């Protein structure tokens, strides 16, 4: 088959890690008889420098014309980069929010998996880890406080800012269905996270999720308050299977989830909507401090490409093959600096990509 993949190298380490993912995709194509056609678009700081805005209409049109999008990372060093002197809607991250909205990607899947080879990197005590954990955060991605009306003004000489967090029942229903569908393919447990003891949106969320759960009698639904959830993730991460939550809680909890695995350079993510067109990106950021030094770990991006094969193209065997190749390279002891430990062999970004491609 032929697939049109839109690549967004982005900023910082983005170009290096996307290059390695492309290498691996090409190898998948060779081995399984597919052709991936690539189109590159600019987003984030790279687009600001070239076009004055973090995402152009042409770039959006190109992304919509393709079958799927693979993103490296966007953004720079907030304290240092001139991008952050711009008004907020012209900064690099605004490009990311815009593409999510424009492509209708309301569902963000962020797996938090402990790789057995990297157990040492996990900051939790052995007795908490047991034989590992594997859960996924399902984050609502195009609603809530990220997209609600906001304003900064001065009233009677007092500076004031307001952000609002709107949700309607349809937005909650569709993300809840995603979570239950994902749970049906896993261990059939959904933990819905909210702040229903304070927020109206959360009270509606809880009610609607409960209603949707009636369509999934096999899935066990629990509710948890977000502050408690933040605590439970470090106290007993093994209790979770699917964690369903709204946009901002999901932003925060998914960073926490990736941190407890100890290997943020290893975690992929997928943003999906009603169609097969998805946006796949590593869970980590653009790491400007190590950009261009062949130090970045490309595995999260390669795993994101594997998620793309699985979710957008239904290429299950191919996705499995990529994941197995990564596991073999880790078993052989090759590590980038972020996951390096004693007795292993240090490799750079490109060499890690080469090794994974060679294992295919
Ligand atoms: C993420 C990031 C983005 C978000 C930023 C860069 C706008 O933190 O994907 O989690 O908050 O959604
Ligand atoms: Mg985040």
């Amino acid at each position: 088959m032929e697939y049109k993949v839109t690549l967004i190298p982005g900023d910082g380490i983005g170009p290096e890690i996307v290059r390695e993912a492309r290498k691996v995709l090409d190898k998948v194509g060779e081995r399984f008889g597919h052709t991936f056609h690539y189109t590159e678009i600019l987003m984030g700081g790279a687009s600001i420098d070239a076009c004055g805005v973090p995402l152009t209409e042409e770039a959006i049109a190109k992304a919509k014309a393709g079958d799927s999008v693979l993103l490296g990372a966007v953004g720079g060093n907030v304290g240092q980069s001139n991008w952050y002197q711009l008004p907020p809607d012209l900064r690099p991250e605004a490009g990311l929010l815009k593409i999510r909205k424009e492509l209708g990607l309301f569902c963000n899947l962020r797996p938090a998996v402990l790789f057995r080879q990297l157990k040492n990197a996990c900051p939790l005590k052995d007795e908490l880890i047991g034989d590992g954990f594997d859960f996924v955060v399902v984050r609502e991605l195009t609603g809530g406080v990220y997209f609600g009306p906001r304003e900064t003004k001065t009233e009677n000489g007092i500076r004031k800012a307001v952000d609002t967090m709107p949700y309607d029942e349809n937005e909650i229903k569709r993300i809840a269905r995603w979570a239950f569908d994902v749970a049906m393919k896993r261990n059939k447990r959904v933990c819905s996270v909210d702040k229903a003891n304070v927020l109206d949106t959360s009270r509606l969320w809880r009610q609607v999720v409960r209603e949707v759960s009636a369509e999934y009698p096999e899935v066990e639904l629990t509710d948890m308050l977000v502050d408690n959830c933040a605590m439970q993730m470090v106290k007993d991460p093994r209790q979770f299977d699917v964690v369903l939550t709204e946009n901002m809680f999901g932003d925060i909890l998914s960073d926490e989830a990736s941190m407890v695995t100890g290997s943020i350079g290893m975690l992929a993510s997928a943003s999906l909507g009603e169609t097969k067109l998805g946006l796949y990106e590593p869970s980590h950021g653009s790491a400007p401090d190590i950009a261009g030094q062949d130090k970045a770990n490309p595995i999260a991006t390669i795993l994101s490409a594997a998620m793309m094969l699985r979710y957008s193209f239904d290429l299950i065997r191919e996705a499995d093959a990529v994941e197995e190749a990564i596991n073999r390279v880790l078993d052989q002891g090759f590590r980038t600096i972020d996951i390096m430990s004693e007795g292993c062999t240090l490799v750079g970004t490109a060499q890690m990509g080469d090794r994974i491609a060679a294992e295919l």
Side-chain angles (χ1 to χ4, degrees), residues 112-116 118-119 122 129-134 260-263:
V113 186
L114 187 79
F115 287 80
R116 60 187 152 76
L118 306 179
K119 214 172 153 187
C122 177
I129 312 171
D131 20 314
F133 51 86
D134 174 351
V260 297
T261 71
S263 38

Side-chain angles (χ1 to χ4, degrees), residues 261-274:
T261 71
S263 38
I264 185 157
M266 305 285 298
L267 297 177
S269 85
S271 302
L272 304 154
E274 307 282 5

Side-chain angles (χ1 to χ4, degrees), residues 48-124:
I48 296 172
D49 291 345
C51 317
V53 289
L55 183 69
T56 63
E57 295 304 319
E58 295 95 282
I60 294 170
K62 278 189 189 164
K64 283 185 178 166
D67 296 319
S68 204
V69 184
L70 184 67
L71 164 66
V74 294
N77 198 318
V78 177
Q80 289 166 18
S81 163
N82 286 334
W83 298 329
Y84 297 93
Q85 307 299 318
L86 295 164
D89 57 339
L90 290 177
R91 293 180 193 171
E93 288 74 7
L96 183 57
L97 299 184
K98 189 166 179 185
I99 200 165
R100 287 174 180 167
K101 195 74 174 177
E102 287 281 341
L103 300 181
L105 306 173
F106 61 84
C107 173
N108 187 214
L109 303 180
R110 296 191 166 173
V113 186
L114 187 79
F115 287 80
R116 60 187 152 76
Q117 302 94 335
L118 306 179
K119 214 172 153 187
N120 286 339
C122 177
L124 301 180

Side-chain angles (χ1 to χ4, degrees), residues 110 139 251 255:
R110 296 191 166 173
R139 168 189 176 193
D251 177 46
D255 263 28

